[in-house]
């Protein structure tokens, strides 16, 4: 387990977002990234999660957006600090996990489901 300050964790999230490859980052539109301590019970329930939730994409995936998509609130990608800290062996491992979580949630933004994400990662 690794403990970092909220500011340090937020900086890890910002850095992970900054490292999204340009070919994908250029297509991110109306999405906001944030850090939170833990997923809420409602987020866990809505997403049918029984254990820990490392990150969460909430919004309208890019492929589902059409000409009527305007004037909507930003999609939100949240990275949860405590589950990452509990899983990390050291700060480098924490950074790698945060980077991976950000990428995983961005993949959801692009409309990929878990099976496709895991296939691409493998």
């Amino acid at each position: 387990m690794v403990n970092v300050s909220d500011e340090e964790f937020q900086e890890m999230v910002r850095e992970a977002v900054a490292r999204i490859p340009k070919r994908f980052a250029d297509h991110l539109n109306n999405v906001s990234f944030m850090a939170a301590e833990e997923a809420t019970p409602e987020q866990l329930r809505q997403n049918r999660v029984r254990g820990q939730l490392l990150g969460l994409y909430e919004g309208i995936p890019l492929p589902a957006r059409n000409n009527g998509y305007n004037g909507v609130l930003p999609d939100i990608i949240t990275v949860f600090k405590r589950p990452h800290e509990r899983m990390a062996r050291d700060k480098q491992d924490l950074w790698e996990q945060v980077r991976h979580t950000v990428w995983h949630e961005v993949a959801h933004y692009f409309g990929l489901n878990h099976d496709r994400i895991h296939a691409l990662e493998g």
Side-chain angles (χ1 to χ4, degrees):
M1 180 166 171
V2 176
N3 290 316
V4 295
S5 69
D6 290 347
E7 293 78 18
E8 192 171 0
F9 188 76
Q10 289 169 359
E11 181 56 33
M12 287 181 180
V13 172
R14 279 191 292 273
E15 180 65 25
V17 171
R19 290 186 181 208
I20 294 169
K22 184 173 174 26
R23 70 179 192 262
F24 297 107
D26 285 351
H27 298 284
L28 290 173
N29 182 33
N30 202 34
V31 61
S32 177
F33 292 85
M34 57 188 294
E37 290 292 314
E38 296 266 5
T40 67
E42 181 67 11
Q43 288 171 319
L44 293 172
R45 186 186 64 73
Q46 285 179 345
N47 292 280
R48 297 180 183 97
V49 175
R50 294 178 192 250
Q52 301 186 104
L53 188 61
L54 297 175
L56 180 63
Y57 168 75
E58 297 172 288
I60 301 169
L62 195 58
R65 298 178 185 186
N66 57 34
N67 291 340
Y69 180 84
N70 57 32
V72 298
L73 294 173
D75 293 2
I76 299 172
I77 291 176
T78 308
V79 182
F80 300 107
K81 179 182 177 205
R82 296 287 178 224
H84 280 91
E85 288 178 325
R86 286 191 290 268
M87 291 178 60
R89 295 181 306 271
D90 54 36
K91 274 193 179 179
Q92 181 61 36
D93 187 43
L94 177 62
W95 156 244
E96 290 298 325
Q97 287 182 31
V98 168
R99 186 188 58 74
H100 183 265
T101 297
V102 166
W103 175 247
H104 184 98
E105 300 310 324
V106 165
H108 286 309
Y109 167 86
F110 284 106
L112 302 178
N113 64 27
H114 281 108
D115 290 339
R116 183 69 178 132
I117 293 167
H118 292 301
L120 290 170
E121 290 172 341

